[in-house]
Amino acid sequence: MLRTHNCGELRLTHINTSVTICGWVQRTRDIGHLIFADIRDKYGITQITAIEGTSKPEIQEQLRKLGRETVVKIIGKVSERSSKNPNIPTGDIEILVEEIEILNTSKVPPFLIEDETDGGDELRMEYRYLDLRRNPVRKNIELRHQMNRATRQFLDDLGFIDIETPVLIKSTPEGARDFVVPSRMNQGEFYALPQSPQTFKQILMVAGFDRYYQIVKCFRDEDLRADRQPEFTQIDCEMSFITQEDILNTFEGLIRHLFSQVKKYELPEVPRMTYDDAMRFYGSDKPDTRFEMKFVELNELTKGKSFLVFEEAELIVGICATNCASYTRKQIDELTDFIKRPQIGAKGLVYVRCELDGTFKSSVDKFYSSEDLQKIATKMNAKAGDLLLILSGESHKVRKQLSELRLEMGNKLGLRDKNKFAALWVLDFPLLEYSEEDNRFYAMHHPFTAPKPEDEILLQDEKRWGDIRANAYDMVINGTEVGGGSIRIYQRPLQEKMLGILGFSPEEAKAQFGFLMEAFEFGAPPHGGIAFGFDRLCSIFGGADSIRDFIAFPKNNSGRDMMIKSPSPIAQAQLDELSLNITKK
RNA sequence: GGAGUGGUAGUUCAGUUGGUUAGAACGCCUGCCUGUCACGCAGGAGGUCGUGGGUUCGAGCCCCAUCCAUUCCGCCA
């Protein structure tokens, strides 16, 4: 070792010992006859000092000239500071420098390597190795490591085994767009990178492995967002001979274990809600349950009062914002602008102020008497001082719009505290989803999801396909979907029927998933599983909105790696070898 | 594919109605300073205003195109 100690461990107890430390120069402070430098490594910061009259003149000169991020080896004696710094663990001591060795020099970094950096995202990604030197980013990566460890520990203890599945697999038309890889040895043919190891883990169940897990990279070639990367990591799990109840209990256990181990936070039992209720009360299949503000449907109380907008609406629904009756006209106008934005697309907002004196002030006073408004307020459980916000329109759309407004109000009222955690199981998702555009049904989860046994009969009636519920479940934390899964189909006839509904001809079904259906004919056990988005889970545990800072080497919004500059063109010789031609658009 | 926002010093940003030599902070360089720790003080260097075209006597500012970044919608079984 080049060092005897790291930069975070020296204390008063080390006084008068000779030590050697290595690290990066954080900054120097030149006070004339006194020169200080902070030496940093991942363990902490230690101050080194040269004093005129005590230290050798050449040491003073060397110290004075140290630039930021120079890598140094310092030999010296630990001494007590005459002026201590209570803000850092090593603040009681400093090292009186006897020898400085420059291990490597550094250019001036393009942004400040400090907790509060001045660097923008693009620059930080281009110089990722500098960004990773910063405490907040390093801590996120360390948190990820702890999450990984705690996950493995929990699942290992339950007898799950980690089995790797291939990365070069086959492209399938269902689901997200695949990343593809041309095959040189099979010209004109392509591998695809897995969107998830779905079929492989089912095959492992057929093989009798019973409990499988993997912390595994998945790839989806879709447009990105702040919380989406083209390659991301899942905690992928599958179990045999289980019911949905077993899965929910096991993986609720995993999440609670993670909170307890990594956050020292005892997560209460995870409540459950059906998909239908989630949509009805929150307008979302991933409600943020850190706060209530449930939807209240108001059709009976608002219809028949000649307010045309409501008369024509399929659904009239509102939320009650506690203590917001004092909102000014301007603030309500801002909310109206918010819901009218093209991304949300509501036509208008009706409000009712429940004034402290018991009267009501609303934007629809012309149409509703104060008794009418009182009835609405009562139904919405409003107290004096509350503000009712009501939207109307086509059911599905208006629920989505009100859901956005609810989240916005949650933000405004400070109800979405990053240090508070509300987990939720959303159950009984629809099996199939109709696409108006393509005039056909799509699997809401994926084509291997089993219908609820009691709904299986509906498969025979095309008109009822949209009503079939699946044994499918999502885990939601703080309004973010962190994981989802289902009980799988394990019998060939049912799988064939499903693929048929999804528009596969028997030939296509066989070509795409023949191996799976054949496996089902060799004694496939009942099985099911779940996958958690590991990056998202880490970002929630870290209290961040973006997953990028929890990935050592993330890609930007366009799927580019700014550091290595990928993707990039390849040589003509490589293209020739793969028999590929590039056609310019 | 669509909508919004942004691009000015190494970095983060300001820049008035289109008008003299484009500013600030941090960083960097030089000097001073005996206990700093976001040290302080004095001075200095540093700019193709993303790119291309246009309007104008005159463009960082207005118009058109384009590139890049970023947020959202679509998309993400």
Side-chain angles (χ1 to χ4, degrees):
Chain A
M1 293 286 281
L2 297 183
R3 64 188 178 199
T4 60
H5 296 78
N6 65 46
C7 294
E9 62 178 323
L10 292 172
R11 298 287 185 277
L12 280 175
T13 51
H14 296 92
I15 276 172
N16 282 329
T17 52
S18 279
V19 296
T20 306
I21 62 167
C22 295
W24 288 261
V25 175
Q26 179 75 28
R27 59 154 63 81
T28 57
R29 287 178 296 280
D30 179 358
I31 320 289
H33 299 276
L34 271 169
I35 305 146
F36 303 104
D38 293 334
I39 307 301
R40 182 199 73 237
D41 63 14
K42 65 168 278 199
Y43 305 97
I45 281 190
T46 297
Q47 176 168 285
I48 63 170
T49 310
I51 305 172
E52 187 163 274
T54 308
S55 307
K56 283 182 268 181
E58 59 266 31
I59 294 288
Q60 291 176 62
E61 207 44 42
Q62 263 183 303
L63 200 48
R64 209 187 298 278
K65 293 238 148 58
L66 286 179
R68 282 173 188 265
E69 301 308 312
T70 302
V71 187
V72 290
K73 180 169 118 180
I74 304 294
I75 301 173
K77 193 161 278 179
V78 180
S79 71
E80 184 170 3
R81 293 198 200 181
S82 62
S83 164
K84 297 188 171 61
N85 182 351
N87 299 318
I88 59 172
T90 61
D92 288 344
I93 58 95
E94 62 194 353
I95 297 176
L96 274 174
V97 183
E98 285 156 8
E99 201 181 319
I100 299 180
E101 185 183 336
I102 308 282
L103 298 174
N104 211 342
T105 56
S106 172
K107 296 205 285 186
V108 175
F111 53 86
L112 289 176
I113 301 178
E114 284 168 23
D115 290 3
E116 294 291 328
T117 185
D118 60 357
D121 284 351
E122 197 183 348
L123 206 57
R124 288 172 47 210
M125 272 193 259
E126 181 175 350
Y127 297 93
R128 190 63 175 168
Y129 42 90
L130 297 181
D131 202 27
L132 287 165
R133 285 182 192 169
R134 298 172 49 236
N135 278 318
V137 184
R138 199 197 68 238
K139 281 188 175 139
N140 289 343
I141 301 298
E142 287 171 354
L143 173 78
R144 186 184 177 107
H145 167 70
Q146 293 304 330
M147 297 283 283
N148 188 313
R149 251 171 64 94
T151 300
R152 291 182 183 284
Q153 179 197 25
F154 181 85
L155 293 173
D156 289 347
D157 287 350
L158 288 181
F160 284 80
I161 69 167
D162 180 349
I163 305 173
E164 289 167 273
T165 51
V167 170
L168 295 174
I169 65 165
K170 184 166 74 168
S171 185
T172 56
E174 279 286 303
R177 213 172 274 120
D178 285 317
F179 280 100
V180 295
V181 179
S183 166
R184 178 185 54 82
M185 288 188 289
N186 305 276
Q187 297 231 326
E189 296 188 312
F190 295 82
Y191 297 103
L193 305 183
Q195 297 168 30
S196 80
Q198 182 60 36
T199 50
F200 288 97
K201 66 176 175 177
Q202 291 190 244
I203 293 285
L204 288 169
M205 293 304 105
V206 178
F209 278 97
D210 196 81
R211 290 180 171 206
Y212 143 94
Y213 84 97
Q214 195 180 180
I215 296 179
V216 63
K217 272 284 173 71
C218 302
F219 307 86
R220 290 177 192 174
D221 187 8
E222 294 292 346
D223 288 2
L224 303 175
R225 294 281 189 282
D227 64 343
R228 266 191 238 160
Q229 288 272 306
E231 52 177 307
F232 59 98
T233 304
Q234 284 191 344
I235 305 171
D236 192 50
C237 306
E238 198 79 1
M239 304 169 84
S240 291
F241 303 116
I242 41 79
T243 63
Q244 170 168 302
E245 194 59 31
D246 297 309
I247 303 248
L248 299 185
N249 289 333
T250 303
F251 292 99
E252 177 168 338
L254 170 63
I255 293 299
R256 293 174 74 180
H257 174 78
L258 289 176
F259 271 108
S260 154
Q261 290 291 300
V262 179
K263 294 288 285 183
K264 308 295 169 211
Y265 179 89
E266 296 310 315
L267 186 75
E269 195 175 317
V270 178
R272 300 176 181 190
M273 187 184 296
T274 64
Y275 171 87
D276 285 344
D277 281 351
M279 294 309 291
R280 191 140 40 105
F281 295 124
Y282 298 97
S284 166
D285 61 359
K286 45 182 165 70
D288 186 343
T289 48
R290 277 175 295 186
F291 62 107
E292 278 272 319
M293 213 185 280
K294 276 191 188 171
F295 290 11
V296 180
E297 299 186 0
L298 299 166
N299 282 24
E300 315 97 82
L301 294 177
T302 52
K303 292 274 189 188
K305 303 284 179 181
S306 68
F307 178 42
L308 202 62
V309 174
F310 282 1
E311 291 309 302
E312 287 173 348
E314 183 185 358
L315 178 66
I316 298 132
V317 58
I319 51 175
C320 172
T322 310
N323 290 328
C324 291
S326 55
Y327 266 39
T328 59
R329 184 58 201 251
K330 196 181 156 205
Q331 284 173 296
I332 290 174
D333 284 348
E334 277 171 16
L335 293 178
T336 309
D337 290 344
F338 174 81
I339 53 114
K340 279 184 170 174
R341 284 166 40 203
Q343 285 94 332
I344 298 183
K347 291 271 182 351
L349 174 68
V350 168
Y351 69 87
V352 180
R353 284 202 190 102
C354 307
E355 305 287 6
L356 289 168
D357 61 10
T359 63
F360 298 99
K361 178 81 194 82
S362 86
S363 50
V364 287
D365 284 344
K366 252 189 277 181
F367 305 98
Y368 297 96
S369 67
S370 64
E371 290 80 56
D372 295 334
L373 296 176
Q374 178 64 61
K375 277 183 198 157
I376 291 172
T378 305
K379 173 119 194 233
M380 293 182 72
N381 227 344
K383 312 181 304 300
D386 292 351
L387 175 69
L388 310 181
L389 299 167
I390 301 168
L391 296 179
S392 66
E394 192 260 303
S395 301
H396 183 69
K397 279 186 189 162
V398 77
R399 286 195 175 112
K400 251 181 111 173
Q401 292 159 357
L402 191 60
S403 169
E404 296 292 336
L405 182 61
R406 175 179 175 273
L407 293 177
E408 175 69 9
M409 291 309 296
N411 285 333
K412 280 187 189 296
L413 298 173
L415 301 172
R416 305 183 74 193
D417 181 355
K418 284 182 170 32
N419 296 311
K420 202 176 148 190
F421 300 100
L424 176 74
W425 283 115
V426 179
L427 306 176
D428 300 351
F429 274 79
L431 182 71
L432 297 161
E433 200 174 24
Y434 190 71
S435 161
E436 301 283 347
E437 200 176 320
D438 299 343
N439 205 21
R440 55 160 278 204
F441 280 94
Y442 282 91
M444 191 148 181
H445 186 54
H446 58 48
F448 316 109
T449 299
K452 279 192 165 299
E454 61 267 35
D455 288 4
E456 214 172 299
I457 184 106
L458 300 177
L459 283 169
Q460 289 159 21
D461 181 0
E462 192 165 342
K463 289 190 290 293
R464 302 291 308 277
W465 283 354
D467 299 330
I468 303 171
R469 291 166 306 157
N471 270 329
Y473 31 82
D474 275 1
M475 180 175 276
V476 176
I477 300 179
N478 294 0
T480 300
E481 182 202 324
V482 297
S486 62
I487 301 300
R488 324 297 186 190
I489 296 169
Y490 63 98
Q491 289 153 322
R492 177 162 190 149
L494 185 54
Q495 188 65 69
E496 276 177 338
K497 173 82 183 163
M498 264 306 288
L499 291 172
I501 287 173
L502 297 173
F504 286 77
S505 70
E507 295 72 34
E508 287 166 340
K510 198 176 168 211
Q512 287 297 335
F513 302 113
F515 67 99
L516 185 66
M517 288 192 291
E518 194 173 11
F520 287 170
E521 292 182 299
F522 286 98
H527 61 283
I530 193 166
F532 289 93
F534 188 59
D535 313 276
R536 278 188 190 177
L537 217 44
C538 290
S539 72
I540 288 172
F541 274 60
D545 293 321
S546 173
I547 65 173
R548 285 184 197 163
D549 282 346
F550 296 82
I551 297 172
F553 301 103
K555 292 181 173 54
N556 78 1
N557 225 24
S558 322
R560 293 192 160 275
D561 183 318
M562 301 305 280
M563 185 177 73
I564 66 172
K565 304 280 186 329
S566 73
S568 63
I570 58 173
Q572 187 59 45
Q574 288 175 288
L575 290 172
D576 292 345
E577 203 166 41
L578 296 163
S579 67
L580 292 178
N581 275 318
I582 305 295
T583 53
K584 286 249 165 64
K585 262 194 225 166

